Amino acid sequence: MPPTGATEADVLERHEKAAREYLNWEPQMYIDGNWVEAESGDEFETHDPTTGKALATVPAAGREDVDMAVKAASRAYENTWSDFTATERRDILNEIADRIEDAEERLATIETLNNGMPITDAHWDMSRTCEQYRYFAGVAQAN
């Protein structure tokens, strides 16, 4: 149901404008420090449930992609993360939270476009995500 005073046409236009503004990039997966396509080359369309229009074509990760990502994460843990001090870990996790906060409007809008949730709920999700990173930053510092 559109917000008070907004027509369905207003909502649809708002979604289309947001998609033009925030989805002007080539979607890829981030694996082992690189932006990559799916190993298979497979893709799929994601749609805005409000408008029914395609938002983006994204890589369809397959078994090979998942295996590469897991191996990369394991290497990163064993060769880098495990060597960081508690203070360095805390700082990295807080930096991630800072970047999410800086991009909150964009991330919340993309989440709303992708799944149709109200923008206020998407902002709440972004805030909770930042809280989780900050919580674990504190845990990292405490260990």
Side-chain angles (χ1 to χ4, degrees):
M1 176 185 268
T4 305
T7 66
E8 185 175 332
D10 294 336
V11 172
L12 294 175
E13 174 54 32
R14 206 167 39 243
H15 274 246
E16 290 172 4
K17 179 182 177 200
R20 287 190 305 272
E21 181 178 350
Y22 289 117
L23 298 174
N24 55 358
W25 47 276
E26 289 295 321
Q28 294 182 309
M29 299 177 294
Y30 193 69
I31 299 176
D32 205 13
N34 298 298
W35 291 101
V36 297
E37 303 293 333
E39 190 68 26
S40 67
D42 291 344
E43 300 176 329
F44 67 93
E45 279 189 345
T46 182
H47 293 84
D48 179 341
T50 301
T51 65
K53 293 184 178 180
L55 287 173
T57 300
V58 297
R63 181 180 303 260
E64 302 88 4
D65 304 301
V66 173
D67 287 346
M68 284 191 303
V70 169
K71 287 175 185 172
S74 293
R75 277 194 313 278
Y77 175 77
E78 292 168 10
N79 300 329
T80 306
W81 188 255
S82 61
D83 292 334
F84 286 156
T85 66
T87 301
E88 290 169 324
R89 290 179 186 192
R90 178 205 62 205
D91 292 347
I92 291 168
L93 293 172
N94 279 322
E95 176 68 20
I96 293 169
D98 290 344
R99 288 182 184 210
I100 293 169
E101 284 176 343
D102 291 345
E104 181 179 334
E105 185 63 34
R106 179 174 187 254
L107 294 171
T109 300
I110 291 170
E111 189 66 5
T112 293
L113 292 172
N114 187 50
N115 67 29
M117 72 170 34
I119 190 71
T120 54
D121 291 357
H123 279 287
W124 185 88
D125 283 353
M126 294 304 113
S127 294
R128 296 304 75 75
T129 300
C130 290
E131 285 178 9
Q132 289 293 306
Y133 274 101
R134 294 200 193 288
Y135 170 80
F136 286 107
V139 170
Q141 181 65 46
N143 290 329

